[in-house]
Amino acid sequence: MESSRDPTAFREFEHTGWEAASRGYDQHFARLTSETVPTLLAAAHVAKGMRVLDVCTGPGMLARAAVDLGAQVVGLDFSGKVVEIARRNVPEAEFLEGDAQALPFDAENFDAIVCGYGIIHVSDPRSAFSEMHRVLKLGGYLAASVWHAPEPTNGFGLLFGAITKHGNLDVPLPHGPDFFQFSEPAKLRAAFEESGFVDVTVAGVDQTWIMDDPFGMITAILEGGVRARGLLMAQTEAVRSAISTTIANGIKQFRSVDGSYRIPMPAFVGSGRK
């Protein structure tokens, strides 16, 4: 598993970014990432009466759904601003500010653990996997989601294709692990198995990001993203304009009969038992 070559700088970059982007993420991305929730909860075998940990909880979509199933939920995120939003969204759950790579819990504390797109934002994914394995009870399941790799027919493919065409991917941002290092089933499976999980499965999840405006994806990234936003903001204004126009033109192929734009944003959900 790849880790950051400068974990302190990368963590500060991510933390500062999420403190600023928390409301934008809740507004723009949550409706997309909520589509993964049913698959994640099913893969973690979440059920009534369980004690469930939601790592990198974000606005609390997974926590909300787990509470609705009757679980006792603890959500954790390293951004205080994100935790504030989660507490407002899911007052029935407990939310803590903390580090996914050093979980503030005793060993074998939770019946199930879920992590929605969080493993791609930590400086050392191996440590995060190890910590989730440590605090999970024997026989319990971890389920984690990651994005599908960029392809011409999905949203990330449009984004990175436009940046490659008009801009520069090699910009002076703190080094972080490859955002898509787990975006192939075999690699996601290997990460679980290397961390001590058994009965590992990986499932693809088809998702659609619905926009009213072909420029909506760029707006969402600039207002609710961190790493992708940093990549865009490192380009010149003229380059950003060309990137935005190229993405908008590409999104027009996904225009629906109702006038909305339905952008494919597929994901993978991996799960394993301790």
Side-chain angles (χ1 to χ4, degrees):
M1 281 180 262
E2 183 184 4
S3 298
S4 170
R5 295 193 295 268
D6 190 350
T8 300
F10 178 72
R11 185 190 187 283
E12 181 60 28
F13 168 75
E14 283 273 335
H15 184 265
T16 300
W18 287 117
E19 289 282 285
S22 55
R23 292 181 180 177
Y25 184 93
D26 192 26
Q27 178 183 354
H28 297 294
F29 280 90
R31 67 178 187 270
L32 168 62
T33 54
S34 291
E35 295 183 35
T36 328
V37 167
T39 303
L40 274 164
L41 294 184
H45 299 260
V46 173
K48 183 177 180 179
M50 282 186 170
R51 179 167 164 81
V52 176
L53 176 62
D54 179 11
V55 177
C56 304
T57 187
M61 298 88 69
L62 280 162
R64 171 77 274 164
V67 165
D68 290 345
L69 287 175
Q72 177 190 354
V73 181
V74 178
L76 179 137
D77 203 284
F78 77 154
S79 165
K81 296 292 186 182
V82 169
V83 168
E84 289 177 9
I85 292 173
R87 285 172 176 161
R88 289 199 299 269
N89 289 345
V90 197
E92 304 94 329
E94 176 186 1
F95 292 98
L96 304 173
E97 188 175 343
D99 187 352
Q101 299 165 130
L103 294 173
F105 308 108
D106 294 334
E108 300 195 2
N109 205 304
F110 295 92
D111 300 298
I113 300 177
V114 290
C115 182
Y117 302 99
I119 200 68
I120 56 179
H121 289 286
V122 299
S123 61
D124 184 5
R126 181 178 284 103
S127 293
F129 270 114
S130 176
E131 278 291 275
M132 289 188 283
H133 186 275
R134 179 182 67 82
V135 304
L136 185 62
K137 291 180 181 179
L138 187 64
Y141 281 82
L142 164 68
S145 57
V146 298
W147 296 110
H148 193 290
E151 292 183 348
T153 54
N154 66 39
F156 278 123
L158 293 178
L159 171 65
F160 287 100
I163 295 173
T164 300
K165 180 178 180 180
H166 298 289
N168 181 13
L169 291 169
D170 186 18
V171 295
L173 296 176
H175 175 264
D178 180 357
F179 195 73
F180 298 104
Q181 70 167 312
F182 305 120
S183 295
E184 297 176 15
K187 292 181 179 180
L188 185 57
R189 178 188 296 274
F192 272 81
E193 292 175 343
E194 181 181 329
S195 303
F197 292 94
V198 298
D199 297 337
V200 177
T201 63
V202 177
V205 184
D206 291 327
Q207 302 181 136
T208 304
W209 205 1
I210 301 175
M211 301 284 183
D212 295 327
D213 180 344
F215 287 92
M217 183 175 174
I218 284 290
T219 299
I221 290 170
L222 292 177
E223 295 182 0
V226 174
R227 294 178 74 175
R229 180 186 187 278
L231 185 57
L232 287 172
M233 294 307 296
Q235 315 296 324
T236 67
E237 185 175 348
V239 167
R240 282 200 304 275
S241 178
I243 290 169
S244 297
T245 299
T246 297
I247 292 172
N249 287 335
I251 284 173
K252 290 177 182 177
Q253 68 183 293
F254 302 123
R255 191 173 190 271
S256 180
V257 292
D258 64 3
S260 64
Y261 299 87
R262 305 179 66 84
I263 307 166
M265 295 289 290
F268 292 109
V269 170
S271 65
R273 178 174 58 83
K274 180 174 177 178

